[in-house]
Amino acid sequence: MIEAREIRATLIGAAAVGLYLAAVLLTGRVPLDQFGQLFLIYLGGSVGVWIAVGIIFLFVQIVRCARTSAGEPFLAAMMRQWVVERWNRDRGLSLLWPPLMFATLIAAFNAFKQMVLPLAGFRYDGLFAAGDRLLFLGHDPWRMTHALLGSPEGIVAVDRLYHGWFAPMMIGVILCAWLPAASFRLRTQYLL
């Protein structure tokens, strides 16, 4: 029997992301073709991580138990049971909506940050610069980081560290999507 709460969670998530996406696109600053390209990049990345985590999960399960008591290969029995459970629970929605909404949300946020926010201007930069100097005992933080990481290699290292957080975010979404029905509340809170 399909669980109505799974459908509701999917619809709430889709509505929230859809409203944000509409707000970003309605600014007129984000061309649809550029957003589409950005979405496909993030979707491809999340699907790649999704598959990698799935392979690791299957490998761990294979190592844990070689065969079921009925003699059927464990991997086949486990996969069949998992697919049947997901199909009966929500027709696979709990597996599809997390990566789709993650890719949509990250693409919309990225487009907003790069194409819409610059229109707001920089009226608070002076205030933030003063706050930075206060925190760094009268020095501009960029001068300190430039002294430490002023080479192209240092900048690339910082950039990789910054973008390195995307994989754990995707893995968190994937693991929550795979949680069993009993963890609905926790899983839904995390995903929403």
Side-chain angles (χ1 to χ4, degrees):
M1 176 178 222
I2 297 176
E3 293 188 25
R5 66 185 186 172
E6 294 284 356
I7 305 301
R8 267 194 313 274
T10 302
L11 292 174
I12 291 169
V17 172
L19 286 172
Y20 180 66
L21 176 60
V24 169
L25 293 178
L26 288 174
T27 64
R29 300 287 302 165
V30 181
L32 281 177
D33 62 330
Q34 287 183 6
F35 176 78
Q37 291 171 349
L38 198 56
F39 170 75
L40 290 176
I41 289 168
Y42 284 115
L43 184 62
S46 24
V47 167
V49 173
W50 190 273
I51 290 169
V53 171
I55 290 169
I56 292 168
F57 175 76
L58 288 175
F59 179 75
V60 168
Q61 293 300 322
I62 289 169
V63 169
R64 285 181 61 213
C65 182
R67 293 199 171 282
T68 64
S69 60
E72 180 180 20
F74 175 74
L75 181 60
M78 183 192 69
M79 288 178 66
R80 184 173 22 77
Q81 176 187 354
W82 191 72
V83 168
V84 167
E85 175 195 322
R86 287 300 172 135
W87 183 256
N88 290 338
R89 186 164 100 192
D90 59 15
R91 302 298 188 250
L93 278 176
S94 61
L95 297 175
L96 294 176
W97 78 270
L100 286 174
M101 281 197 259
F102 178 81
T104 304
L105 184 61
I106 293 295
F109 174 74
N110 195 318
F112 179 75
K113 184 173 73 170
Q114 293 179 13
M115 297 177 205
V116 178
L117 276 182
L119 293 176
F122 302 97
R123 63 179 163 243
Y124 296 110
D125 274 7
L127 179 66
F128 290 134
D132 281 344
R133 277 191 296 280
L134 183 67
L135 287 172
F136 285 83
L137 306 173
H139 300 293
D140 288 321
W142 74 266
R143 292 183 190 274
M144 297 171 74
T145 56
H146 188 71
L148 293 171
L149 305 167
S151 69
E153 295 82 14
I155 302 302
V156 168
V158 169
D159 187 57
R160 288 197 175 135
L161 286 172
Y162 172 77
H163 285 99
W165 285 103
F166 286 105
M169 284 191 307
M170 281 188 266
I171 291 170
V173 169
I174 293 164
L175 293 176
C176 274
W178 287 357
L179 288 172
S183 62
F184 171 79
R185 183 178 176 88
L186 178 65
R187 176 171 38 93
T188 304
Q189 284 176 337
Y190 179 85
L191 292 172
L192 293 178

